[in-house]
Amino acid sequence: MPNQLACSPAFEKLLWDIRDILHKAVQKQMANDSTEAHDLTKEAYQRLATALNQLESNIVAPNDPE
């Protein structure tokens, strides 16, 4: 059975880069360096949002439960 989550090597690298940024943010948060943790979290969010926009995929954000 093929992996349904397979993606291009470039996108895979991007996801690993974002994961590494988030890991650093968690480490900074644990060290009480909240300013850098905030900046790293913001960078990860921006890179992920940009990647999803560039994919022009049919990914739809889930609706908030009411």
Side-chain angles (χ1 to χ4, degrees):
M1 178 167 106
N3 184 351
Q4 293 179 349
L5 294 177
C7 57
S8 73
F11 192 67
E12 189 172 315
K13 181 183 179 330
L14 175 64
L15 291 177
W16 276 106
D17 289 348
I18 292 169
R19 177 230 172 250
D20 290 344
I21 293 167
L22 290 172
H23 179 76
K24 289 177 190 173
V26 169
Q27 289 178 321
K28 295 295 181 181
Q29 184 64 37
M30 289 172 44
N32 292 323
D33 188 350
S34 60
T35 300
E36 190 166 354
H38 174 272
D39 293 345
L40 289 166
T41 304
K42 182 178 177 181
E43 179 186 351
Y45 169 80
Q46 289 173 334
R47 290 182 71 175
L48 184 57
T50 299
L52 290 172
N53 287 340
Q54 287 175 342
L55 281 177
E56 297 178 3
S57 70
N58 59 356
I59 296 174
V60 178
N63 293 329
D64 292 330
E66 294 185 60

